[in-house]
Amino acid sequence: MPGMTAKHLELIAETQADVDLDPLVRHLQAQGVQAMPMTVGLLVSGDVAQLRAILPGLTGADQDEVEVPESLRHAVKFIHVVKPRQPM
């Protein structure tokens, strides 16, 4: 599949201001991905297959943002793909 060069990705999920992050973290972890609370929301990471299971719009590391699925819109404003580091 085009754009699927990275096997592991990190995403920043900016959450709504009034969202309780604990249930969201538990939900994401139950889906097999890691989720760590941050000031702006969550750092979400996992392999591409696991992330695509919850984020169908994810094509890979070459995109900047991922459409927030309906199931997460109550809690998440937008999802930004963290670009993998380039080797020095």
Side-chain angles (χ1 to χ4, degrees), residues 3 5-6 8 12 17 19 29-30 35-36 44 47 49 54 59-60 69 79 82 84-86 88:
T5 56
H8 182 88
I12 302 288
V19 166
Q29 289 175 339
M36 183 176 77
V44 181
D47 71 38
I54 26 178
T59 59
I79 300 170
V82 177
R85 294 170 125 187
Q86 298 298 319
M88 298 175 118

Side-chain angles (χ1 to χ4, degrees), residues 15-21 23 73-77:
T15 55
Q16 308 289 346
D18 59 347
V19 166
D20 181 2
L21 294 179
R73 287 189 188 147
H74 70 284
V76 177
K77 290 183 195 179

Side-chain angles (χ1 to χ4, degrees), residues 4 11-12 27 36 38 44 58 62-64 70 73 76:
M4 298 296 277
L11 312 167
I12 302 288
H27 169 73
M36 183 176 77
M38 300 174 52
V44 181
L58 180 65
D62 59 338
Q63 69 190 105
D64 292 324
E70 184 67 37
R73 287 189 188 147
V76 177

